[in-house]
Amino acid sequence: MGAGMSSDSGPEGVSGGLTGLGTLPEGCVAEIMLRLEPAEICRLARLCRTFCGAASADLVWETKLPRNYMYLLGKASGEDNSEGRRLSKKEIFALLCRRNAFGGANMEFCLEKKRGLICMWISSKALSITGIGDRRYWNFIPTAESRFQTVAYLHQIWWLEVRGEVEFCFPEGTYSLYFRLHLGRATKRLGRRVCSPEHIHGWDVKPVRFTLSTSDGQLAQSKCYLDEPGSWIHYHVGDFVSRSSDAPTGVKFSMTQIDCTHTKGGLCVDSVLIWPQGFVGGPPTASCPLL
């Protein structure tokens, strides 16, 4: 049947008395697309003009957008929604799926395509780091291995304390928070990536403690030894639930190792990530036991 339709009717309509895909009502095609994922919709849009038209319909893409998409659009456009009100729902979806900076140039978010939840990245420059102003302990170094092109590098310190917070209207769902860390300083030599272990010490004495708290009383704590030099690792702090996409959720998080009996060093702090629970992507993830 499919071969007959393809050969006799062509991609656009009727020929030789047979019905082709192009003769299907656009509304019926749109109803089918309501039940598909965005990538599948885009593939079907290439079949013919009818499918292309249905794949651009607002009613299709509105179901793929989170309920608070106008709030997210305001964040992406610097609180100015005037342009967004002239965009189609498909264009809004595409805009939100790209990298969108907010809160200056040190935070970004994008829409996770399958579930309409949010992925967020918070640069080390947006974090409060004890001793960051003293170059004997910390300094910011450029690197192409960070989406922000800069990481905070720890030479040596007694008291490790890194804190941050964000307030955001997260679409309803469960989110996981991670610290993206690297033991050793990665550089390129003769075109090859090499990792300098020069300052790595102290991480095998006591574990690093991670904490997470939200403005509505959710708490999570974990601890982990840092013992994988040479690779970027996502250290899982904990999970939290956004129960309303219309109300902002305040999220505070920290990474500490404040046992002053020994120094520690050789650590790159890139960013904090907030991803939908179960989201797959990026470097390896370390499983840290809950406290």
Side-chain angles (χ1 to χ4, degrees):
M1 179 178 176
M5 289 173 61
S6 176
S7 60
D8 292 333
S9 64
E12 295 299 339
V14 180
S15 177
L18 294 179
T19 302
L21 290 175
T23 64
L24 289 172
E26 195 171 291
C28 291
V29 177
E31 284 292 332
I32 296 172
M33 290 181 172
L34 288 174
R35 295 156 176 80
L36 301 179
E37 293 183 357
E40 296 171 322
I41 295 172
C42 293
R43 285 195 292 268
L44 286 178
R46 297 197 292 264
L47 287 177
C48 62
R49 276 198 293 266
T50 300
F51 277 67
C52 183
S56 299
D58 278 355
L59 68 91
V60 171
W61 291 99
E62 192 156 16
T63 63
K64 312 306 174 187
L65 289 166
R67 191 172 62 183
N68 66 340
Y69 70 88
M70 289 304 294
Y71 163 84
L72 300 176
L73 188 60
K75 286 289 187 181
S77 57
E79 306 299 340
D80 178 13
N81 282 358
S82 57
E83 181 182 353
R85 296 182 188 279
R86 297 192 295 269
L87 298 175
S88 69
K89 297 298 188 295
K90 181 180 179 180
E91 291 170 328
I92 292 174
F93 183 89
L95 187 152
L96 293 179
C97 286
R98 73 186 190 190
R99 292 173 58 171
N100 294 288
F102 72 104
N106 297 322
M107 298 184 187
E108 293 182 354
F109 78 89
C110 72
L111 196 65
E112 188 262 344
K113 297 176 182 179
K114 287 190 175 183
R115 290 172 285 176
L117 301 180
I118 284 296
C119 294
M120 183 179 293
W121 294 261
I122 302 170
S123 166
S124 57
K125 287 194 172 182
L127 305 178
S128 175
I129 303 176
T130 299
I132 192 65
D134 192 327
R135 293 177 64 87
R136 293 175 301 172
Y137 307 128
W138 291 90
N139 67 297
F140 288 106
I141 59 174
T143 174
E145 296 187 358
S146 168
R147 70 189 292 118
F148 297 101
Q149 303 301 309
T150 303
V151 299
Y153 180 69
L154 172 64
H155 297 283
Q156 178 173 287
I157 206 164
W158 293 87
W159 182 286
L160 174 73
E161 186 173 24
V162 181
R163 298 186 181 275
E165 60 182 292
V166 65
E167 186 174 79
F168 202 84
C169 290
F170 293 91
E172 296 172 13
T174 303
Y175 294 85
S176 300
L177 188 143
Y178 301 87
F179 273 84
R180 186 173 189 259
L181 308 175
H182 185 287
L183 278 181
R185 180 171 179 171
T187 57
K188 280 196 173 181
R189 189 174 300 160
L190 299 177
R192 298 181 61 185
R193 184 184 190 271
V194 295
C195 178
S196 170
E198 179 183 2
H199 298 117
I200 300 176
H201 69 282
W203 305 111
D204 57 343
V205 180
K206 292 287 181 66
V208 171
R209 291 178 176 266
F210 300 99
T211 64
L212 159 69
S213 64
T214 66
S215 54
D216 59 357
Q218 301 177 68
L219 298 171
Q221 298 183 67
S222 59
K223 61 181 179 180
C224 198
Y225 286 94
L226 308 187
D227 57 2
E228 298 185 55
S231 298
W232 286 104
I233 305 293
H234 293 150
Y235 290 90
H236 183 214
V237 178
D239 302 331
F240 68 93
V241 178
S242 172
R243 298 183 174 90
S244 172
S245 59
D246 299 320
T249 300
V251 183
K252 294 183 178 182
F253 43 87
S254 69
M255 175 181 71
T256 58
Q257 214 293 23
I258 55 178
D259 184 339
C260 292
T261 61
H262 66 285
T263 61
K264 37 266 176 187
L267 176 69
C268 289
V269 179
D270 173 39
S271 56
V272 169
L273 299 83
I274 300 177
W275 284 349
Q277 188 181 58
F279 180 74
V280 178
T285 299
S287 178
C288 299
L290 298 178
L291 296 178

